[in-house]
Amino acid sequence: MRYFYFYLYIFVLSLFFSIHSTHQLQFSQTQVLLQLRKYLQYPTSLQVFQSYNDDLCTLTPSQHLSIKCEGNSVTELKIMGDYNNKHGKVSNFNGFAVPNQTLSKTFSIDSFVTTLTRLTSLRVLSLVSLGIWGPLPDKIHRLSLLQVLDLSSNFLFGSIPPKIATLMNLQILTLDRNYFNTTMPDFFEPLCNLSILSFKKNQLKGSFPFSLCKIKNLTDISLAHNELSGALPNLTALSRLHVLDLMENSFHSRLPLMPKSVVTVLLSKNSFAGEIPSQFGELSQLQNLDLSSNRLSGAPPSLLFSLTNISYLNLANNVLSGSIPEKLNCGSKLGFVDISSNMLSGLLPSCLESISDRRVVRFGGNCLSVNSQPQNQNQKHGSYCEESNSGKMKFWRWEIDAAIAIIVLVFLFLLAFGVFLYRKCHSTEIYRHEMLPKIVQDNNSTTGVSFELLVSARYISQKMNLGAQTTTTCRHFSIEELKEITRNFDLSAYIGEGSIGKVSFDYSKYL
Ligand SMILES: *[C@@H]1O[C@H](CO)[C@@H](O)[C@H](O)[C@H]1NC(C)=O
Ligand SMILES: *[C@@H]1O[C@H](CO)[C@@H](O)[C@H](O)[C@H]1NC(C)=O
Ligand SMILES: *[C@@H]1O[C@H](CO)[C@@H](O)[C@H](O)[C@H]1NC(C)=O
Ligand SMILES: *[C@@H]1O[C@H](CO)[C@@H](O)[C@H](O)[C@H]1NC(C)=O
Ligand SMILES: *[C@@H]1O[C@H](CO)[C@@H](O)[C@H](O)[C@H]1NC(C)=O
Ligand SMILES: *[C@@H]1O[C@H](CO)[C@@H](O)[C@H](O)[C@H]1NC(C)=O
């Protein structure tokens, strides 16, 4: 009987070990990991592979390396290297290997990703600061179970592969600090489980991806430090959104309404114009709001300062005007307020006179008057701020630009129409006169048709009159009529010196 227990014990023990051994990482998966180490040119984070003879799945996870397995395949692979790109960006990266900054020129991103896709069970993949360079291959989508994909701080460039949109399980997609430099893709609609999208510090162009508005699970959208422009859509449908970070782009619409759930909204260093929507004063979860360095005007909603959760509020460097109500109640968590470099006037509300250390307040560069004398952070003279109230500042640059573009288009259309009518009426003359190219040659101009020459109405009209002498049968716009309509082709009649100063105008943009 005693032996029976002994054998049972041995049996159970051996059963345990045999089960354990079936959990051993498949040989092929181990081979893939070793191959990846070679492709990555033996980074220090993978040095442990060398001395480790046991199953790689049993490595204790660290900040630099984490491997998790299920059954006998790898489900999670996180490697963090120590390439410099983590902090600053390399200015001289132009798509090729940079010594000591990227993996050497023998690195092939295509082979690397091909090998990577043999880890077919991967759900979490994070390869950060490894000096990986090249365009990200489309075949990354073969890792169809991916829930987390983080390739930050590498040297990936070109476009974000459209097939990423087939990774239906994706919850976190992070491609920060790379060199992606094409148009911002707008294919995110199928990724209905996506909660975090972060493409910070790339060179993406184009507009905000409207397909994001359909992803109800989104909590974080970070597209800061790119070259995005245009308008922001109505984001109120994103009822779980916590973080919206679009700093340092070129967005130039009015501010959209925000979902009630937002905690952090960073929109500084863009060209947002118009007033801050009063709806911002109802965002009860809001803790951090940075709208600095835009072209926001009007009076800031006073409720912004009293939000229950607000702690960081930066409205500096705009053209906000009017006054803030004196009897303002600052939110109890408000620790930092910057309203400097605006056109605010009136009395600084007492809760913003930072007497205690608990609240930092910057208000310089306005026309505010302050009760306690020593605090008068260089305020401007009242007349500086009055200008803004007279309505002269209402038109912002982009509106002016649009107006100019329309005027120029109308002008060019009239000109083209005139020339067209002329040619139609004098079709027999046309080959003899060879209008515009001839004009250019006459003028000894070296390059094509210059716009200055085109607007040199007198010159054109002389030429046209020469042609007009031969026929009088056809009704057409005379150049005098065109001149009348366009005020002698004088663009300055339309642009001139606006109330906000001289508008410089680059003709070449419109040719
Ligand atoms: C993107 O960057 C790469 C590498 O610097 C360059 O070769 C390519 O021309 C760039 N593409 C665009 C559209 O700017
Ligand atoms: C770059 O690497 C080379 C060796 O490959 C080394 O001699 C040089 O000091 C390194 N430069 C910097 C700035 O680290
Ligand atoms: C979204 O995630 C849930 C739970 O993780 C999962 O059941 C569902 O299949 C996912 N949806 C898609 C479209 O993958
Ligand atoms: C949102 O995420 C939850 C898990 O957090 C998931 O169960 C749900 O399916 C997702 N919603 C949609 C619309 O995919
Ligand atoms: C924004 O969208 C919500 C619903 O998604 C709608 O109720 C609201 O009227 C919209 N607001 C504006 C200003 O378009
Ligand atoms: C905002 O404040 C309310 C009430 O003080 C609190 O219940 C809530 O958790 C806060 N929200 C955040 C995101 O901290």
mmCIF file with all atom_site columns, all heavy atoms in Angstrom, residues 85-89 128-129 151-156 175-180 199-202:
data_model
loop_
_atom_site.group_PDB
_atom_site.id
_atom_site.type_symbol
_atom_site.label_atom_id
_atom_site.label_alt_id
_atom_site.label_comp_id
_atom_site.label_asym_id
_atom_site.label_entity_id
_atom_site.label_seq_id
_atom_site.pdbx_PDB_ins_code
_atom_site.Cartn_x
_atom_site.Cartn_y
_atom_site.Cartn_z
_atom_site.occupancy
_atom_site.B_iso_or_equiv
_atom_site.pdbx_formal_charge
_atom_site.auth_seq_id
_atom_site.auth_comp_id
_atom_site.auth_asym_id
_atom_site.auth_atom_id
_atom_site.pdbx_PDB_model_num
ATOM 1   N N   . ASN A 1 85  ? 16.326 57.422 -31.101 1.00 0.00 ? 85  ASN A N   1
ATOM 2   C CA  . ASN A 1 85  ? 15.110 58.039 -31.595 1.00 0.00 ? 85  ASN A CA  1
ATOM 3   C C   . ASN A 1 85  ? 14.038 58.207 -30.516 1.00 0.00 ? 85  ASN A C   1
ATOM 4   O O   . ASN A 1 85  ? 13.069 58.914 -30.694 1.00 0.00 ? 85  ASN A O   1
ATOM 5   C CB  . ASN A 1 85  ? 14.562 57.197 -32.747 1.00 0.00 ? 85  ASN A CB  1
ATOM 6   C CG  . ASN A 1 85  ? 13.525 57.946 -33.555 1.00 0.00 ? 85  ASN A CG  1
ATOM 7   O OD1 . ASN A 1 85  ? 13.430 59.158 -33.472 1.00 0.00 ? 85  ASN A OD1 1
ATOM 8   N ND2 . ASN A 1 85  ? 12.752 57.222 -34.313 1.00 0.00 ? 85  ASN A ND2 1
ATOM 9   N N   . LYS A 1 86  ? 14.263 57.554 -29.386 1.00 0.00 ? 86  LYS A N   1
ATOM 10  C CA  . LYS A 1 86  ? 13.281 57.616 -28.313 1.00 0.00 ? 86  LYS A CA  1
ATOM 11  C C   . LYS A 1 86  ? 12.986 59.059 -27.900 1.00 0.00 ? 86  LYS A C   1
ATOM 12  O O   . LYS A 1 86  ? 11.866 59.420 -27.625 1.00 0.00 ? 86  LYS A O   1
ATOM 13  C CB  . LYS A 1 86  ? 13.809 56.843 -27.107 1.00 0.00 ? 86  LYS A CB  1
ATOM 14  C CG  . LYS A 1 86  ? 12.719 56.133 -26.344 1.00 0.00 ? 86  LYS A CG  1
ATOM 15  C CD  . LYS A 1 86  ? 13.194 55.566 -25.025 1.00 0.00 ? 86  LYS A CD  1
ATOM 16  C CE  . LYS A 1 86  ? 14.458 54.738 -25.120 1.00 0.00 ? 86  LYS A CE  1
ATOM 17  N NZ  . LYS A 1 86  ? 14.873 54.199 -23.819 1.00 0.00 ? 86  LYS A NZ  1
ATOM 18  N N   . HIS A 1 87  ? 14.001 59.880 -27.866 1.00 0.00 ? 87  HIS A N   1
ATOM 19  C CA  . HIS A 1 87  ? 13.795 61.253 -27.403 1.00 0.00 ? 87  HIS A CA  1
ATOM 20  C C   . HIS A 1 87  ? 13.765 62.252 -28.559 1.00 0.00 ? 87  HIS A C   1
ATOM 21  O O   . HIS A 1 87  ? 12.746 62.789 -28.889 1.00 0.00 ? 87  HIS A O   1
ATOM 22  C CB  . HIS A 1 87  ? 14.863 61.604 -26.372 1.00 0.00 ? 87  HIS A CB  1
ATOM 23  C CG  . HIS A 1 87  ? 14.842 60.679 -25.210 1.00 0.00 ? 87  HIS A CG  1
ATOM 24  N ND1 . HIS A 1 87  ? 13.768 60.585 -24.358 1.00 0.00 ? 87  HIS A ND1 1
ATOM 25  C CD2 . HIS A 1 87  ? 15.728 59.758 -24.784 1.00 0.00 ? 87  HIS A CD2 1
ATOM 26  C CE1 . HIS A 1 87  ? 14.004 59.671 -23.440 1.00 0.00 ? 87  HIS A CE1 1
ATOM 27  N NE2 . HIS A 1 87  ? 15.189 59.149 -23.666 1.00 0.00 ? 87  HIS A NE2 1
ATOM 28  N N   . GLY A 1 88  ? 14.895 62.454 -29.173 1.00 0.00 ? 88  GLY A N   1
ATOM 29  C CA  . GLY A 1 88  ? 14.899 63.404 -30.277 1.00 0.00 ? 88  GLY A CA  1
ATOM 30  C C   . GLY A 1 88  ? 14.788 62.648 -31.580 1.00 0.00 ? 88  GLY A C   1
ATOM 31  O O   . GLY A 1 88  ? 14.929 61.441 -31.617 1.00 0.00 ? 88  GLY A O   1
ATOM 32  N N   . LYS A 1 89  ? 14.496 63.373 -32.648 1.00 0.00 ? 89  LYS A N   1
ATOM 33  C CA  . LYS A 1 89  ? 14.462 62.720 -33.937 1.00 0.00 ? 89  LYS A CA  1
ATOM 34  C C   . LYS A 1 89  ? 15.746 63.022 -34.686 1.00 0.00 ? 89  LYS A C   1
ATOM 35  O O   . LYS A 1 89  ? 16.388 64.042 -34.454 1.00 0.00 ? 89  LYS A O   1
ATOM 36  C CB  . LYS A 1 89  ? 13.248 63.210 -34.741 1.00 0.00 ? 89  LYS A CB  1
ATOM 37  C CG  . LYS A 1 89  ? 11.968 62.583 -34.207 1.00 0.00 ? 89  LYS A CG  1
ATOM 38  C CD  . LYS A 1 89  ? 10.740 62.942 -35.021 1.00 0.00 ? 89  LYS A CD  1
ATOM 39  C CE  . LYS A 1 89  ? 10.685 62.296 -36.360 1.00 0.00 ? 89  LYS A CE  1
ATOM 40  N NZ  . LYS A 1 89  ? 9.316  62.181 -36.885 1.00 0.00 ? 89  LYS A NZ  1
ATOM 41  N N   . VAL A 1 128 ? 9.856  48.740 -30.005 1.00 0.00 ? 128 VAL A N   1
ATOM 42  C CA  . VAL A 1 128 ? 10.074 50.178 -29.799 1.00 0.00 ? 128 VAL A CA  1
ATOM 43  C C   . VAL A 1 128 ? 11.571 50.499 -29.751 1.00 0.00 ? 128 VAL A C   1
ATOM 44  O O   . VAL A 1 128 ? 12.352 49.748 -29.156 1.00 0.00 ? 128 VAL A O   1
ATOM 45  C CB  . VAL A 1 128 ? 9.388  50.625 -28.481 1.00 0.00 ? 128 VAL A CB  1
ATOM 46  C CG1 . VAL A 1 128 ? 9.674  52.086 -28.187 1.00 0.00 ? 128 VAL A CG1 1
ATOM 47  C CG2 . VAL A 1 128 ? 7.890  50.388 -28.563 1.00 0.00 ? 128 VAL A CG2 1
ATOM 48  N N   . SER A 1 129 ? 11.949 51.601 -30.392 1.00 0.00 ? 129 SER A N   1
ATOM 49  C CA  . SER A 1 129 ? 13.337 52.096 -30.344 1.00 0.00 ? 129 SER A CA  1
ATOM 50  C C   . SER A 1 129 ? 14.348 51.039 -30.754 1.00 0.00 ? 129 SER A C   1
ATOM 51  O O   . SER A 1 129 ? 15.365 50.847 -30.090 1.00 0.00 ? 129 SER A O   1
ATOM 52  C CB  . SER A 1 129 ? 13.694 52.579 -28.934 1.00 0.00 ? 129 SER A CB  1
ATOM 53  O OG  . SER A 1 129 ? 13.037 53.765 -28.666 1.00 0.00 ? 129 SER A OG  1
ATOM 54  N N   . LEU A 1 151 ? 4.767  50.252 -32.779 1.00 0.00 ? 151 LEU A N   1
ATOM 55  C CA  . LEU A 1 151 ? 6.052  50.289 -33.482 1.00 0.00 ? 151 LEU A CA  1
ATOM 56  C C   . LEU A 1 151 ? 6.707  51.661 -33.312 1.00 0.00 ? 151 LEU A C   1
ATOM 57  O O   . LEU A 1 151 ? 7.359  52.180 -34.219 1.00 0.00 ? 151 LEU A O   1
ATOM 58  C CB  . LEU A 1 151 ? 5.845  49.980 -34.972 1.00 0.00 ? 151 LEU A CB  1
ATOM 59  C CG  . LEU A 1 151 ? 5.186  48.633 -35.301 1.00 0.00 ? 151 LEU A CG  1
ATOM 60  C CD1 . LEU A 1 151 ? 4.907  48.512 -36.785 1.00 0.00 ? 151 LEU A CD1 1
ATOM 61  C CD2 . LEU A 1 151 ? 6.070  47.476 -34.852 1.00 0.00 ? 151 LEU A CD2 1
ATOM 62  N N   . SER A 1 152 ? 6.536  52.251 -32.152 1.00 0.00 ? 152 SER A N   1
ATOM 63  C CA  . SER A 1 152 ? 6.994  53.624 -31.931 1.00 0.00 ? 152 SER A CA  1
ATOM 64  C C   . SER A 1 152 ? 8.501  53.764 -31.993 1.00 0.00 ? 152 SER A C   1
ATOM 65  O O   . SER A 1 152 ? 9.243  52.807 -31.787 1.00 0.00 ? 152 SER A O   1
ATOM 66  C CB  . SER A 1 152 ? 6.543  54.106 -30.555 1.00 0.00 ? 152 SER A CB  1
ATOM 67  O OG  . SER A 1 152 ? 5.159  54.104 -30.485 1.00 0.00 ? 152 SER A OG  1
ATOM 68  N N   . SER A 1 153 ? 8.940  55.002 -32.230 1.00 0.00 ? 153 SER A N   1
ATOM 69  C CA  . SER A 1 153 ? 10.351 55.369 -32.155 1.00 0.00 ? 153 SER A CA  1
ATOM 70  C C   . SER A 1 153 ? 11.236 54.511 -33.037 1.00 0.00 ? 153 SER A C   1
ATOM 71  O O   . SER A 1 153 ? 12.270 54.008 -32.609 1.00 0.00 ? 153 SER A O   1
ATOM 72  C CB  . SER A 1 153 ? 10.842 55.302 -30.705 1.00 0.00 ? 153 SER A CB  1
ATOM 73  O OG  . SER A 1 153 ? 10.108 56.168 -29.911 1.00 0.00 ? 153 SER A OG  1
ATOM 74  N N   . ASN A 1 154 ? 10.809 54.326 -34.257 1.00 0.00 ? 154 ASN A N   1
ATOM 75  C CA  . ASN A 1 154 ? 11.658 53.678 -35.245 1.00 0.00 ? 154 ASN A CA  1
ATOM 76  C C   . ASN A 1 154 ? 11.802 54.613 -36.434 1.00 0.00 ? 154 ASN A C   1
ATOM 77  O O   . ASN A 1 154 ? 11.588 55.825 -36.303 1.00 0.00 ? 154 ASN A O   1
ATOM 78  C CB  . ASN A 1 154 ? 11.054 52.330 -35.643 1.00 0.00 ? 154 ASN A CB  1
ATOM 79  C CG  . ASN A 1 154 ? 11.253 51.281 -34.560 1.00 0.00 ? 154 ASN A CG  1
ATOM 80  O OD1 . ASN A 1 154 ? 12.389 50.918 -34.266 1.00 0.00 ? 154 ASN A OD1 1
ATOM 81  N ND2 . ASN A 1 154 ? 10.176 50.818 -33.955 1.00 0.00 ? 154 ASN A ND2 1
ATOM 82  N N   . PHE A 1 155 ? 12.164 54.069 -37.576 1.00 0.00 ? 155 PHE A N   1
ATOM 83  C CA  . PHE A 1 155 ? 12.406 54.908 -38.750 1.00 0.00 ? 155 PHE A CA  1
ATOM 84  C C   . PHE A 1 155 ? 11.543 54.414 -39.909 1.00 0.00 ? 155 PHE A C   1
ATOM 85  O O   . PHE A 1 155 ? 12.011 54.195 -41.005 1.00 0.00 ? 155 PHE A O   1
ATOM 86  C CB  . PHE A 1 155 ? 13.890 54.886 -39.114 1.00 0.00 ? 155 PHE A CB  1
ATOM 87  C CG  . PHE A 1 155 ? 14.762 55.486 -38.054 1.00 0.00 ? 155 PHE A CG  1
ATOM 88  C CD1 . PHE A 1 155 ? 15.149 54.753 -36.943 1.00 0.00 ? 155 PHE A CD1 1
ATOM 89  C CD2 . PHE A 1 155 ? 15.165 56.812 -38.135 1.00 0.00 ? 155 PHE A CD2 1
ATOM 90  C CE1 . PHE A 1 155 ? 15.927 55.313 -35.949 1.00 0.00 ? 155 PHE A CE1 1
ATOM 91  C CE2 . PHE A 1 155 ? 15.949 57.379 -37.148 1.00 0.00 ? 155 PHE A CE2 1
ATOM 92  C CZ  . PHE A 1 155 ? 16.333 56.635 -36.047 1.00 0.00 ? 155 PHE A CZ  1
ATOM 93  N N   . LEU A 1 156 ? 10.261 54.189 -39.597 1.00 0.00 ? 156 LEU A N   1
ATOM 94  C CA  . LEU A 1 156 ? 9.324  53.737 -40.623 1.00 0.00 ? 156 LEU A CA  1
ATOM 95  C C   . LEU A 1 156 ? 8.849  54.946 -41.409 1.00 0.00 ? 156 LEU A C   1
ATOM 96  O O   . LEU A 1 156 ? 8.540  55.981 -40.823 1.00 0.00 ? 156 LEU A O   1
ATOM 97  C CB  . LEU A 1 156 ? 8.142  53.027 -39.962 1.00 0.00 ? 156 LEU A CB  1
ATOM 98  C CG  . LEU A 1 156 ? 8.529  51.803 -39.127 1.00 0.00 ? 156 LEU A CG  1
ATOM 99  C CD1 . LEU A 1 156 ? 7.361  51.321 -38.299 1.00 0.00 ? 156 LEU A CD1 1
ATOM 100 C CD2 . LEU A 1 156 ? 9.051  50.700 -40.029 1.00 0.00 ? 156 LEU A CD2 1
ATOM 101 N N   . LEU A 1 175 ? 1.979  54.267 -33.536 1.00 0.00 ? 175 LEU A N   1
ATOM 102 C CA  . LEU A 1 175 ? 3.086  54.393 -34.490 1.00 0.00 ? 175 LEU A CA  1
ATOM 103 C C   . LEU A 1 175 ? 3.818  55.716 -34.263 1.00 0.00 ? 175 LEU A C   1
ATOM 104 O O   . LEU A 1 175 ? 4.297  56.347 -35.204 1.00 0.00 ? 175 LEU A O   1
ATOM 105 C CB  . LEU A 1 175 ? 2.543  54.318 -35.934 1.00 0.00 ? 175 LEU A CB  1
ATOM 106 C CG  . LEU A 1 175 ? 1.773  53.054 -36.310 1.00 0.00 ? 175 LEU A CG  1
ATOM 107 C CD1 . LEU A 1 175 ? 1.122  53.192 -37.669 1.00 0.00 ? 175 LEU A CD1 1
ATOM 108 C CD2 . LEU A 1 175 ? 2.693  51.841 -36.302 1.00 0.00 ? 175 LEU A CD2 1
ATOM 109 N N   . ASP A 1 176 ? 3.899  56.147 -33.023 1.00 0.00 ? 176 ASP A N   1
ATOM 110 C CA  . ASP A 1 176 ? 4.503  57.448 -32.697 1.00 0.00 ? 176 ASP A CA  1
ATOM 111 C C   . ASP A 1 176 ? 5.965  57.524 -33.121 1.00 0.00 ? 176 ASP A C   1
ATOM 112 O O   . ASP A 1 176 ? 6.656  56.516 -33.200 1.00 0.00 ? 176 ASP A O   1
ATOM 113 C CB  . ASP A 1 176 ? 4.451  57.686 -31.177 1.00 0.00 ? 176 ASP A CB  1
ATOM 114 C CG  . ASP A 1 176 ? 3.038  57.765 -30.651 1.00 0.00 ? 176 ASP A CG  1
ATOM 115 O OD1 . ASP A 1 176 ? 2.108  57.983 -31.451 1.00 0.00 ? 176 ASP A OD1 1
ATOM 116 O OD2 . ASP A 1 176 ? 2.866  57.595 -29.430 1.00 0.00 ? 176 ASP A OD2 1
ATOM 117 N N   . ARG A 1 177 ? 6.433  58.749 -33.311 1.00 0.00 ? 177 ARG A N   1
ATOM 118 C CA  . ARG A 1 177 ? 7.848  59.037 -33.580 1.00 0.00 ? 177 ARG A CA  1
ATOM 119 C C   . ARG A 1 177 ? 8.442  58.150 -34.667 1.00 0.00 ? 177 ARG A C   1
ATOM 120 O O   . ARG A 1 177 ? 9.420  57.459 -34.466 1.00 0.00 ? 177 ARG A O   1
ATOM 121 C CB  . ARG A 1 177 ? 8.663  58.931 -32.283 1.00 0.00 ? 177 ARG A CB  1
ATOM 122 C CG  . ARG A 1 177 ? 8.348  60.050 -31.296 1.00 0.00 ? 177 ARG A CG  1
ATOM 123 C CD  . ARG A 1 177 ? 9.110  59.893 -30.012 1.00 0.00 ? 177 ARG A CD  1
ATOM 124 N NE  . ARG A 1 177 ? 8.759  58.680 -29.319 1.00 0.00 ? 177 ARG A NE  1
ATOM 125 C CZ  . ARG A 1 177 ? 7.727  58.572 -28.484 1.00 0.00 ? 177 ARG A CZ  1
ATOM 126 N NH1 . ARG A 1 177 ? 6.984  59.622 -28.211 1.00 0.00 ? 177 ARG A NH1 1
ATOM 127 N NH2 . ARG A 1 177 ? 7.452  57.436 -27.905 1.00 0.00 ? 177 ARG A NH2 1
ATOM 128 N N   . ASN A 1 178 ? 7.802  58.174 -35.819 1.00 0.00 ? 178 ASN A N   1
ATOM 129 C CA  . ASN A 1 178 ? 8.368  57.556 -37.002 1.00 0.00 ? 178 ASN A CA  1
ATOM 130 C C   . ASN A 1 178 ? 8.423  58.609 -38.094 1.00 0.00 ? 178 ASN A C   1
ATOM 131 O O   . ASN A 1 178 ? 8.346  59.808 -37.802 1.00 0.00 ? 178 ASN A O   1
ATOM 132 C CB  . ASN A 1 178 ? 7.525  56.343 -37.415 1.00 0.00 ? 178 ASN A CB  1
ATOM 133 C CG  . ASN A 1 178 ? 7.899  55.098 -36.633 1.00 0.00 ? 178 ASN A CG  1
ATOM 134 O OD1 . ASN A 1 178 ? 8.962  54.531 -36.861 1.00 0.00 ? 178 ASN A OD1 1
ATOM 135 N ND2 . ASN A 1 178 ? 7.059  54.684 -35.704 1.00 0.00 ? 178 ASN A ND2 1
ATOM 136 N N   . TYR A 1 179 ? 8.531  58.184 -39.323 1.00 0.00 ? 179 TYR A N   1
ATOM 137 C CA  . TYR A 1 179 ? 8.664  59.138 -40.428 1.00 0.00 ? 179 TYR A CA  1
ATOM 138 C C   . TYR A 1 179 ? 7.582  58.928 -41.480 1.00 0.00 ? 179 TYR A C   1
ATOM 139 O O   . TYR A 1 179 ? 7.809  59.190 -42.648 1.00 0.00 ? 179 TYR A O   1
ATOM 140 C CB  . TYR A 1 179 ? 10.064 59.020 -41.046 1.00 0.00 ? 179 TYR A CB  1
ATOM 141 C CG  . TYR A 1 179 ? 11.140 59.527 -40.127 1.00 0.00 ? 179 TYR A CG  1
ATOM 142 C CD1 . TYR A 1 179 ? 11.599 58.748 -39.073 1.00 0.00 ? 179 TYR A CD1 1
ATOM 143 C CD2 . TYR A 1 179 ? 11.672 60.797 -40.278 1.00 0.00 ? 179 TYR A CD2 1
ATOM 144 C CE1 . TYR A 1 179 ? 12.575 59.219 -38.206 1.00 0.00 ? 179 TYR A CE1 1
ATOM 145 C CE2 . TYR A 1 179 ? 12.645 61.280 -39.420 1.00 0.00 ? 179 TYR A CE2 1
ATOM 146 C CZ  . TYR A 1 179 ? 13.098 60.478 -38.384 1.00 0.00 ? 179 TYR A CZ  1
ATOM 147 O OH  . TYR A 1 179 ? 14.050 60.958 -37.529 1.00 0.00 ? 179 TYR A OH  1
ATOM 148 N N   . PHE A 1 180 ? 6.431  58.431 -41.060 1.00 0.00 ? 180 PHE A N   1
ATOM 149 C CA  . PHE A 1 180 ? 5.331  58.248 -42.016 1.00 0.00 ? 180 PHE A CA  1
ATOM 150 C C   . PHE A 1 180 ? 5.019  59.602 -42.647 1.00 0.00 ? 180 PHE A C   1
ATOM 151 O O   . PHE A 1 180 ? 4.763  60.577 -41.931 1.00 0.00 ? 180 PHE A O   1
ATOM 152 C CB  . PHE A 1 180 ? 4.109  57.668 -41.324 1.00 0.00 ? 180 PHE A CB  1
ATOM 153 C CG  . PHE A 1 180 ? 4.286  56.230 -40.935 1.00 0.00 ? 180 PHE A CG  1
ATOM 154 C CD1 . PHE A 1 180 ? 4.430  55.864 -39.607 1.00 0.00 ? 180 PHE A CD1 1
ATOM 155 C CD2 . PHE A 1 180 ? 4.340  55.233 -41.905 1.00 0.00 ? 180 PHE A CD2 1
ATOM 156 C CE1 . PHE A 1 180 ? 4.615  54.528 -39.248 1.00 0.00 ? 180 PHE A CE1 1
ATOM 157 C CE2 . PHE A 1 180 ? 4.510  53.894 -41.559 1.00 0.00 ? 180 PHE A CE2 1
ATOM 158 C CZ  . PHE A 1 180 ? 4.657  53.547 -40.225 1.00 0.00 ? 180 PHE A CZ  1
ATOM 159 N N   . PHE A 1 199 ? -0.546 58.399 -33.505 1.00 0.00 ? 199 PHE A N   1
ATOM 160 C CA  . PHE A 1 199 ? 0.431  58.568 -34.596 1.00 0.00 ? 199 PHE A CA  1
ATOM 161 C C   . PHE A 1 199 ? 1.259  59.833 -34.366 1.00 0.00 ? 199 PHE A C   1
ATOM 162 O O   . PHE A 1 199 ? 1.596  60.547 -35.293 1.00 0.00 ? 199 PHE A O   1
ATOM 163 C CB  . PHE A 1 199 ? -0.288 58.706 -35.952 1.00 0.00 ? 199 PHE A CB  1
ATOM 164 C CG  . PHE A 1 199 ? -1.050 57.498 -36.399 1.00 0.00 ? 199 PHE A CG  1
ATOM 165 C CD1 . PHE A 1 199 ? -1.936 57.578 -37.479 1.00 0.00 ? 199 PHE A CD1 1
ATOM 166 C CD2 . PHE A 1 199 ? -0.895 56.270 -35.807 1.00 0.00 ? 199 PHE A CD2 1
ATOM 167 C CE1 . PHE A 1 199 ? -2.645 56.473 -37.921 1.00 0.00 ? 199 PHE A CE1 1
ATOM 168 C CE2 . PHE A 1 199 ? -1.603 55.146 -36.238 1.00 0.00 ? 199 PHE A CE2 1
ATOM 169 C CZ  . PHE A 1 199 ? -2.483 55.257 -37.286 1.00 0.00 ? 199 PHE A CZ  1
ATOM 170 N N   . LYS A 1 200 ? 1.572  60.128 -33.121 1.00 0.00 ? 200 LYS A N   1
ATOM 171 C CA  . LYS A 1 200 ? 2.281  61.367 -32.804 1.00 0.00 ? 200 LYS A CA  1
ATOM 172 C C   . LYS A 1 200 ? 3.629  61.463 -33.500 1.00 0.00 ? 200 LYS A C   1
ATOM 173 O O   . LYS A 1 200 ? 4.307  60.468 -33.694 1.00 0.00 ? 200 LYS A O   1
ATOM 174 C CB  . LYS A 1 200 ? 2.542  61.434 -31.292 1.00 0.00 ? 200 LYS A CB  1
ATOM 175 C CG  . LYS A 1 200 ? 1.413  62.030 -30.520 1.00 0.00 ? 200 LYS A CG  1
ATOM 176 C CD  . LYS A 1 200 ? 1.780  62.185 -29.063 1.00 0.00 ? 200 LYS A CD  1
ATOM 177 C CE  . LYS A 1 200 ? 1.551  60.911 -28.292 1.00 0.00 ? 200 LYS A CE  1
ATOM 178 N NZ  . LYS A 1 200 ? 1.434  61.089 -26.857 1.00 0.00 ? 200 LYS A NZ  1
ATOM 179 N N   . LYS A 1 201 ? 4.059  62.685 -33.803 1.00 0.00 ? 201 LYS A N   1
ATOM 180 C CA  . LYS A 1 201 ? 5.394  62.940 -34.345 1.00 0.00 ? 201 LYS A CA  1
ATOM 181 C C   . LYS A 1 201 ? 5.716  62.114 -35.577 1.00 0.00 ? 201 LYS A C   1
ATOM 182 O O   . LYS A 1 201 ? 6.645  61.315 -35.592 1.00 0.00 ? 201 LYS A O   1
ATOM 183 C CB  . LYS A 1 201 ? 6.452  62.725 -33.260 1.00 0.00 ? 201 LYS A CB  1
ATOM 184 C CG  . LYS A 1 201 ? 6.307  63.722 -32.140 1.00 0.00 ? 201 LYS A CG  1
ATOM 185 C CD  . LYS A 1 201 ? 7.557  63.889 -31.315 1.00 0.00 ? 201 LYS A CD  1
ATOM 186 C CE  . LYS A 1 201 ? 7.292  64.969 -30.280 1.00 0.00 ? 201 LYS A CE  1
ATOM 187 N NZ  . LYS A 1 201 ? 8.293  65.058 -29.264 1.00 0.00 ? 201 LYS A NZ  1
ATOM 188 N N   . ASN A 1 202 ? 4.902  62.280 -36.581 1.00 0.00 ? 202 ASN A N   1
ATOM 189 C CA  . ASN A 1 202 ? 5.224  61.779 -37.905 1.00 0.00 ? 202 ASN A CA  1
ATOM 190 C C   . ASN A 1 202 ? 5.140  62.963 -38.850 1.00 0.00 ? 202 ASN A C   1
ATOM 191 O O   . ASN A 1 202 ? 5.161  64.113 -38.405 1.00 0.00 ? 202 ASN A O   1
ATOM 192 C CB  . ASN A 1 202 ? 4.260  60.660 -38.301 1.00 0.00 ? 202 ASN A CB  1
ATOM 193 C CG  . ASN A 1 202 ? 4.631  59.347 -37.646 1.00 0.00 ? 202 ASN A CG  1
ATOM 194 O OD1 . ASN A 1 202 ? 5.551  58.681 -38.084 1.00 0.00 ? 202 ASN A OD1 1
ATOM 195 N ND2 . ASN A 1 202 ? 3.933  58.973 -36.583 1.00 0.00 ? 202 ASN A ND2 1
#
